[in-house]
Amino acid sequence: MEHVPALDEDLKKTLGPATAKVLAEQLGLHTALDLLHHYPRRYAERGELTSLADLADQIDEHVTVVAQVADARVLTFNGGRGKRLEVTITDGSGRLQLVFFGAGVHKPHKELLPGSRAMFAGKVSRFNHKLQLAHPAYEPLGADASDRDAATAFANQLIPIYPACAKLESWKIAKCVDAVLPSAQEAVDPLPPALREGRGLVPLTEALLKIHRPATKADIEDARQRLKWDEAFVLQVALARRRHADAQLPAVPRRAAPGGLLDAFDAELPFTLTEGQQKVSKEIFDDLATSHPMHRLLQGEVGSGKTMVALRAMLAVVDSGGQAAMLAPTEVLAQQHHRSVVEMMGELAEGGMLGGSDQGTKVVLLTGSMGMPARRQALLDLVTGEAGVVIGTHALIEDKVQFHDLGLVVVDEQHRFGVEQRDALRSKGKQPPHLLVMTATPIPRTVAMTVFGDLETSVLDQLPAGRSPIATHVVPAKDKPHFLARAWERVREEVEKGHQAYVVCPRIGDGEDEPKNGKKKAAAADDPDKRPPLAVLEVAEQLARGPLAGLSVEVLHGRMDPADKDDVMRRFTAGEVKVLVATTVIEVGVNVPNSTVMVIMDADRFGVSQLHQLRGRVGRGSAPGLCLLVSEMHEASPARARLAAVAATLDGFELSRIDLEQRREGDVLGQAQSGVRSSLRMLAVIEDEEVIAQAREEATRVVAEDPALERLPGLRTALDALLDTEREQYLEKG
């Protein structure tokens, strides 16, 4: 039988099937290596009293606390037949009640004596307005210290507190770690020795021992620094190898022809491009002129004119005899892009048609819901090269779609597409086409380096002239219902001035998104805090009958028939519909300059970046924009703090930082991290900006010298673990 290294062995062998099952199902830990990378969340000192003051924010969560017993008493009930033990523990910052019932009373009554210390783990609940842990698991501290020296050592020991679950408390996980810790000696070090020594980092084996069983706080710091480098460096090597491989591919250089389509388009522009647009366009044109494929991320503030930059790049490619495809995540957005591109190009978008320009080209739309005749014509225009520009949804990726000469792929809202979809479209070129990825969600530099590290980055942070500022206010609907009434008056006032409004709701309300069991509805009726999120269909009906009666109110959501969606959007763009009640289907790309006000219902249910995206739909013309964030959350809640942050700034980069700090990386890196053994456990993308930047430099250098990593087997092993085939391509699932 083949020898399995101890680190890759199933935990069943070391810990037994029952414990291994809990670790696998609850914490996703299957091997000794997985368990060694399950790092402590924090450390308690035996002599230290851990803070109970923070527990109010952790109702219904499993916690571990270190505290001292203040008092303990047994109470009887049911005429003396029932017993309850109430223990009060304290840590100087607060007090917490523990309760034990029935036969479970005797052991803790003997062990939890006033003055004794222990670690307690359980689920925080509230009873009679007091916080409590019912039947907590506990581990007495200090009982076995025989002499004073041993007692002192014991008191100062650092206790690792692990991310735990109801079925396995932190100290039980610590015992599991003890069982596999000797196998840390076999850990393969991914860092090249020169890098490790140059940066003064401890070897991997030492780091694993120090993170799990530190003797001092300096040990923890050494270990953290080293393990952060592992995560940053291995990830950056994966990205650097992708960049290196892409740079080896051949591509057709695409240069705009003097006096061609791009010049004709620029000559007709009724405004001057911003400095930012000119600078970013130059970066893109320089990339397009090279003989290996461009890979560029264009990120920009809401309304900074990314579509204009992308369109000029597409026209430059058409000038050079190639075709350009823009991939949009939704039909609404694809149709909107198609409409705005055709409008911007005017007669240049009617190449080959009667009345079209000689220099023009055909601009076609391709979506899944198009009728057969239109679809057949679009496919024909693409394969013959008649259409220089195509805008579409996932329908562009289908096998039957063929291009005459695909030169550029523009992907809008990258975070909605996986690497497979991006590559499927790129494979339709005779040679790899150039790639421009756009996102309207401003991304902090470190996240861009971590998630989009295989792309060069261009940033548009300047708004075009004539753009109006957007005023944002929080409307506390529960505390001040008259504020909500005033919000609807403001909508009416804007419509009377000839403008239009959006009302955004988190749910559709067509039955498909209802809770599946009736109990939830009953609970919602009893407790307004637990009511389901507000729905488009219900809110639209209430507004049309109530505060907005007499105005043309229509709905838009993702489950409508595509023809109906397009019809509503067309009539809203034309100004026939005055108030559009919609889901986040309008979040990106929708451009109706006459819309000046947006009311976001249950705004606390949306993320910071999403709210910023949504409000970017108003104030796109010359009239100032107004965004009202309606929430029933109380003023002191974290949700209201988030809304206040959105109201306080229009800087998307600042908001994306706040968003990241609040949600941590897991959400931001989204799919990219799911199920990956080496996902970021130690590295905090915002805090560790410097480590990520240095790791990127080192990774680029290492890959340039040794692209196949032949001289670095340890690094190859770590990469295989990160990018193993079952987990597919880890990187840009986002």
Side-chain angles (χ1 to χ4, degrees), residues 520-561:
K520 286 191 184 168
K521 284 189 185 170
D526 299 340
D527 179 358
D529 291 343
K530 294 272 168 36
R531 68 161 172 74
L534 292 170
V536 165
L537 301 177
E538 292 153 20
V539 168
E541 195 183 329
Q542 288 161 8
L543 291 177
R545 280 206 318 259
L548 303 184
L551 304 182
S552 59
V553 177
E554 296 258 4
V555 301
L556 182 71
H557 60 75
R559 279 203 284 269
M560 284 165 65
D561 180 88

Side-chain angles (χ1 to χ4, degrees), residues 280-292:
V280 168
S281 288
K282 183 180 183 319
E283 290 170 353
I284 292 170
F285 291 147
D286 288 349
D287 280 1
L288 288 173
T290 62
S291 55
H292 58 82

